[in-house]
Amino acid sequence: MTEAGVTGRRANRRGLATRESMLKGALKSLASGDPGAVSGNRIAKEIGVTWGALKYQFGDIDGFWAAVLHYTAERRGDLPARVDPDASLRERVAGMIELMYEGLNATDSRAIETLRAALPREHAELERLYPRTAAELASWKPLWNDACQKAFADLDVDPVRVREIAAFIPGAMRGITSEKQLGTYSDLDEARRGLTNAIVAYLERSGPS
């Protein structure tokens, strides 16, 4: 991950505490889901500081959003690495799915979704307007891919297929989470079991190519 939001000053203990308090406040505001929350001035007001104070800590709005994202990544860690290394393939996949389901319903994930929805969709535009934010988001993909490979490295499965499931699991889980948030007649326990079964079946039929 990038060293997001670093302004070149060596922060003292009080400064670090202030910085963390600002980041926590930003997450709480963004997690409300209100598109209007994606405003440095509004967040500053809600957490009881000035925009100038936020700029002092993070440089500009790009540095602030990059720092918010980096903070969530640090708190989240490498999700698949938390799966029991002694578990079977099915247990590992099920564990990953359940951990993601739990995580995507948490405050940090709701905040990330709100922020991402307000950012430019096109990579070129995002990188032009928010280069540090873009760099932070881009850093997540290889870390996630590596973590998934490590989660199954000792099993007889094709690493190409692991990379493929790593590509679609986040989107699939966001879809299931969205169904929960919007309200649905579907059985989401069954949905997660079905996704687990499909992934296991796909990986079981593979081997190093």
Side-chain angles (χ1 to χ4, degrees):
M1 289 169 282
T2 62
E3 290 299 319
V6 177
T7 62
R9 294 176 290 101
R10 177 175 292 179
N12 57 29
R13 186 173 299 176
R14 182 177 178 181
L16 290 173
T18 298
R19 181 185 178 88
E20 183 169 9
S21 177
M22 290 176 173
L23 293 171
K24 286 181 177 179
L27 289 177
K28 182 178 179 181
S29 181
L30 292 168
S32 68
D34 181 358
V38 189
S39 162
N41 282 314
R42 173 169 165 174
I43 290 174
K45 183 177 180 180
E46 288 185 358
I47 62 180
V49 301
T50 65
W51 170 235
L54 281 179
K55 287 180 69 177
Y56 178 76
Q57 288 290 335
F58 304 104
D60 57 15
I61 192 63
D62 181 30
F64 184 42
W65 296 145
V68 168
L69 292 170
H70 186 70
Y71 185 60
T72 66
E74 287 183 322
R75 283 153 58 104
R76 180 176 64 248
D78 295 331
L79 185 61
R82 295 166 56 192
V83 177
D84 184 356
D86 296 323
S88 66
L89 174 61
R90 178 172 296 279
E91 288 169 336
R92 294 186 201 195
V93 173
M96 183 187 299
I97 295 301
E98 291 308 309
L99 283 170
M100 290 194 71
Y101 185 65
E102 178 184 339
L104 286 169
N105 283 287
T107 297
D108 286 13
S109 291
R110 295 197 303 272
I112 292 168
E113 293 300 308
T114 301
L115 177 55
R116 286 183 60 189
L119 293 171
R121 302 293 194 274
E122 295 295 326
H123 290 172
E125 187 71 357
L126 177 63
E127 291 162 8
R128 183 179 69 83
L129 296 174
Y130 304 96
R132 296 167 73 183
T133 303
E136 178 61 28
L137 286 170
S139 74
W140 291 4
K141 183 177 184 295
L143 290 171
W144 164 250
N145 287 342
D146 289 347
C148 286
Q149 293 291 347
K150 290 176 183 177
F152 301 104
D154 60 324
L155 300 179
D156 188 27
V157 296
D158 185 351
V160 173
R161 293 198 177 194
V162 173
R163 188 171 68 245
E164 289 171 349
I165 68 160
F168 75 70
I169 285 177
M173 291 308 301
R174 286 192 187 94
I176 291 175
T177 302
S178 177
E179 284 294 288
K180 178 179 180 179
Q181 293 168 349
L182 295 173
T184 180
Y185 289 103
S186 297
D187 184 334
L188 298 184
D189 290 339
E190 189 173 56
R192 299 197 307 282
R193 285 196 303 272
L195 180 59
T196 297
N197 289 337
I199 293 171
V200 171
Y202 187 59
L203 294 180
E204 281 181 336
R205 294 189 178 94
S206 73
S209 56

